[in-house]
Structures are given as structure tokens and as C-alpha cells.
Amino acid sequence: AVKIEAARTLCSLAVDNNTSIAIASAGAVKPLVELLGVEDVEGMRQAACALCKLAELNDEIQRLIANPEVVESLVRVLSRGDIEGKGQAAKALHILAVNNETIQIIVSAGAVEPLVHLLSTGDNTGKRHAARTIGILTENNDSNIRIEIARAGALEPLVQLLCSEELEVNGLAATAIHSLEVTHENLIAIAHVNTVEALVQILESGEMQRRGISARALCILAMNNDNREAITLAGAVNPLVQLLTIGDMESKTEAARALGILAQSDGNEIAIMNA
């Protein structure tokens, strides 16, 4: 209880660079990392909060924390903490993911699956931090990381976040979707038809950038045969064809790709020609 209260106090005190340096110089980092490993979810949460603030405010502390031991402990919180603690751990991983080396450490520590899980099960803050972290991981040059994220099932919860009313979450989800490395082998049928319908609604009336990302998401989903019928039945063909005329270059490209994939199914080619 004393350690948890100390971590809570440190989290409150870490409000600027000078204070963060003073806290780290006093030797706070090691006991905070140890607290991440306890079975008490409040202890995990307070330790993750304090480390997150320290790393966010000072680059040197960030480099000190960005090592396998700390990252593995944060991933443990991401898997076993409470909702708020998981969000803090996801935020900390986002702060630490500043270069390829740290990103590899994060992925090797097993962060992908619990991050993807948080996209669906977290509160709004946790989902936002998870989407931001996954977005950074997908921007890495290593295609294997993007494939691993796709295989972990990230596409569907990201699509659902794309349909969220929060613009910041939309943008974070769009960034991740845009970079996902999806193949026929790792794409499964999307479970919720209403997700496809929401994407079609964005195609019909959303802002142009969101329309392009929606077309990108539909393009990815259409790679699975079982999804093509759902996409066609949801009325995607007409707004995709319209986007070929009114969209910007990127939106037109995504719409053309989506229509090309949809045309591979029987009957869709005629529907596209008649649109």
C-alpha cells in the first residue's frame, strides 16, 4: 500500500521536465518498474502512470526506460491490468516507440495481441492509446510487424474506430488501416455487417479524407470472398463509382482498387458497369 501511494504521488508530481529529472535522479525508476510486476492492479496502474509521465516529459528518461525489461513489464500490465492501467501501459509504449530498435523490442515483448484486444475492450482513452501505438508500429519499415498486427485481428476493431464520432480516433484508426499489411492468408471474414454499412455511410456523406480511408478499408475487406457479398449488399458500389469522379487522387485510387476486387465476384462486374 505504501509503494502504491508513493507511485501515485510521483505520478502527480511529474508535471514538468525539471521535476521528472529530479524524480528519476532520486532513483524512482527501478522501484516503479518493480511495481509493474505486482499482482495488485492499482499498483500496476500507478506505476505505469508514473513511468508514462516521466518518459513523456524527458528524452533521457525515455531512453533509460526503453529497454526489454521495462517494455515486458508494461506489456504485462497491458495484458493483466485494469482498464485504466492498460490504457496507461499502451500510452507508455506509444511514447517509447520512437525508433526501430524500440519498436522491435515492443513487438518482441508480445505487445501486439493485447494492444489489438484493447482496441475492442478498452475505454475510449485506452482505445485511443492502443490505436496510436498500433499506428506507430504499422508505420515501421518491417512488413512482418504489419502482417503480425493484421493476423492479430486488428482490422475489424480499427474499422469500427474509423466509424467513431471522435475525429482524433478516426485519424488514428485511419493511419493504422492505411499501413496494414493484409494478405489473403491472414484476412478473415469481418464479423459485423453493420461495420460494412457504417463504412458505406462514410463513403456517401463523410469528409473526403474519410471517404478515401473507407474505400481503403473496403478494399482490404473485399480481399476475402465472404466479405464481397456483404459489401455489395450494403450498397458500396455506387458511392465507390462516384468517388472515382469527385475524389482526390488518393481516394480515386482506393476506390478503383476496391471496385477492381469486387468485380472478381460473379455479378458484381455488371453491377459496377451499370452504376
Side-chain angles (χ1 to χ4, degrees):
V2 174
K3 292 181 179 180
I4 294 172
E5 188 58 38
R8 182 185 291 109
T9 301
L10 291 174
C11 185
S12 300
L13 290 174
V15 294
D16 57 42
N17 183 57
N18 290 335
T19 307
S20 297
I21 293 174
I23 291 171
S25 298
V29 172
K30 184 177 179 180
L32 285 172
V33 173
E34 291 174 351
L35 193 56
L36 291 175
V38 302
E39 293 301 324
D40 188 298
V41 293
E42 185 179 0
M44 294 181 190
R45 180 175 69 249
Q46 297 300 337
C49 173
L51 288 168
C52 186
K53 282 194 172 183
L54 292 174
E56 188 174 26
L57 291 166
N58 185 272
D59 291 343
E60 286 189 24
I61 300 174
Q62 185 183 100
R63 286 190 288 271
L64 174 67
I65 295 174
N67 65 72
E69 179 188 359
V70 179
V71 170
E72 287 172 7
S73 296
L74 287 169
V75 171
R76 181 179 180 278
V77 178
L78 198 59
S79 301
R80 303 175 64 174
D82 60 12
I83 290 296
E84 188 178 346
K86 290 179 179 180
Q88 288 291 339
K91 182 179 180 181
L93 292 175
H94 155 249
I95 292 168
L96 296 180
V98 294
N99 54 52
N100 291 340
E101 181 182 356
T102 308
I103 286 173
Q104 291 292 344
I105 290 173
I106 291 170
V107 174
S108 298
V112 169
E113 286 195 11
L115 280 170
V116 170
H117 187 63
L118 192 60
L119 288 175
S120 301
T121 62
D123 57 14
N124 288 338
T125 300
K127 289 178 180 179
R128 183 169 66 251
H129 291 318
R132 182 178 285 111
T133 305
I134 287 174
I136 289 178
L137 298 182
T138 58
E139 291 177 338
N140 184 266
N141 292 328
D142 189 345
S143 63
N144 290 325
I145 293 176
R146 298 194 294 272
I147 291 172
E148 181 176 346
I149 292 170
R151 284 177 175 164
L155 179 61
E156 183 168 350
L158 285 171
V159 167
Q160 291 172 353
L161 291 179
L162 183 65
C163 302
S164 165
E165 294 182 359
E166 292 188 36
L167 292 179
E168 182 184 6
V169 173
N170 291 159
L172 295 170
T175 297
I177 289 171
H178 186 74
S179 302
L180 275 181
E181 196 83 14
V182 182
T183 67
H184 291 282
E185 289 75 22
N186 64 34
L187 178 64
I188 61 173
I190 196 163
H192 303 293
V193 174
N194 61 348
T195 301
V196 175
E197 292 174 345
L199 286 173
V200 173
Q201 186 174 359
I202 293 173
L203 271 181
E204 293 174 335
S205 58
E207 298 175 358
M208 190 54 64
Q209 183 179 9
R210 293 186 68 205
R211 291 189 191 193
I213 296 297
S214 296
R216 162 68 172 164
L218 288 172
C219 180
I220 295 172
L221 295 176
M223 292 170 62
N224 182 284
N225 290 333
D226 294 334
N227 291 332
R228 290 177 194 164
E229 182 179 1
I231 292 171
T232 304
L233 290 176
V237 170
N238 283 342
L240 282 171
V241 171
Q242 185 182 29
L243 197 58
L244 291 175
T245 302
I246 66 173
D248 55 25
M249 186 58 65
E250 186 172 356
S251 298
K252 289 178 180 179
T253 300
E254 297 295 356
R257 291 180 62 203
L259 289 168
I261 295 174
L262 290 174
Q264 296 173 18
S265 293
D266 294 339
N268 281 347
E269 187 173 358
I270 296 174
I272 292 170
M273 292 178 63
N274 292 333

